Amino acid sequence: VTPVPGHDEL
Amino acid sequence: MNIFRLAGDLFHLISIFILIHKMTTSKSCSGISFKSQALYLLVYVTRYLDLFWTFALYNSTMKIIFIGSSAYVLHLMTGPFKPTHDPNIDTFKVRYLIGGAAILALLFPYKWTPAEVLWTFSIWLESVAILPQLFMVQRTGAAETITTHYIFALGAYRALYIPNWIYRYLTSTFWDPLSIIAGVIQTVLYSDFFYIYYTKVLQGRKFELP
């Protein structure tokens, strides 16, 4: 699993 | 979106509602740490910079609510209700929290860009931003029931993000280690408070430290 720094959270 | 995250965000909204309700009905901000509130505004402003270049109806609306309500709370505390704030019991040294979060953000961001470093800073700072508030409760040895409801709701928000992260990891292999580590630390910092809240406030007794 690769990091997913999508920042789609609050 | 899943039920844990939605519930977490709702708890976050509820906590803000309780805080503003408490202050406007009692016309007082006694028992509330100005330092924690100022840290939260700093958290939201540094994390939600992406409002300028990303739009998603749910997230963007919430971000604006969090920044706006946080600024409003600070306005109440520095303006109308300033005389009810006692700086002598709000003495936590926040410079260590800001410094620690800044160092971690500079050392381990996902990318060395200003926005990413500030995002990481906000994640670490949020994990410890409640400490001045908890320190204040500890100093006074008791808290108004409504203040404890506020702290509980704010703690529940990040605690509920933990099952959200587990769910997202299992269903879509979403993995954001910085958020997860900081979120777990944040929840651990609340654990003492949660315990006393559960054993006292929920059983109808006053929040007093043993």
Side-chain angles (χ1 to χ4, degrees), chain B residues 35-166:
Chain B
K35 290 183 173 179
S36 278
Q37 295 306 317
L39 291 182
Y40 282 117
L41 181 63
L42 186 57
V43 165
Y44 302 139
V45 169
T46 49
R47 186 177 311 164
Y48 301 152
L49 280 177
D50 66 348
L51 273 171
F52 290 111
W53 61 86
T54 41
F55 178 81
L57 185 61
Y58 176 83
N59 277 354
S60 301
T61 309
M62 295 292 242
K63 288 171 183 177
I64 291 167
I65 292 174
F66 293 146
I67 293 174
S69 58
S70 200
Y72 180 62
V73 165
L74 284 185
H75 158 73
L76 291 177
M77 295 189 84
T78 51
F81 305 148
K82 192 174 184 200
T84 61
H85 174 64
D86 182 2
N88 295 318
I89 52 168
D90 191 12
T91 52
F92 195 92
K93 297 273 185 293
V94 292
R95 72 185 83 125
Y96 299 113
L97 304 182
I98 295 174
I103 290 168
L104 285 171
L106 286 166
L107 289 177
F108 311 110
Y110 286 126
K111 282 184 230 148
W112 273 280
T113 62
E116 282 293 316
V117 170
L118 285 171
W119 180 88
T120 313
F121 169 76
S122 82
I123 289 290
W124 287 115
L125 189 61
E126 187 194 3
S127 72
V128 292
I130 197 63
L131 285 177
Q133 178 67 63
L134 292 178
F135 184 67
M136 196 167 163
V137 169
Q138 199 183 36
R139 275 198 72 166
T140 51
E144 289 177 68
T145 304
I146 191 145
T147 306
T148 63
H149 291 331
Y150 160 68
I151 300 172
F152 172 81
L154 193 58
Y157 136 67
R158 215 54 175 180
L160 280 162
Y161 261 61
I162 295 173
N164 155 61
W165 290 320
I166 294 170

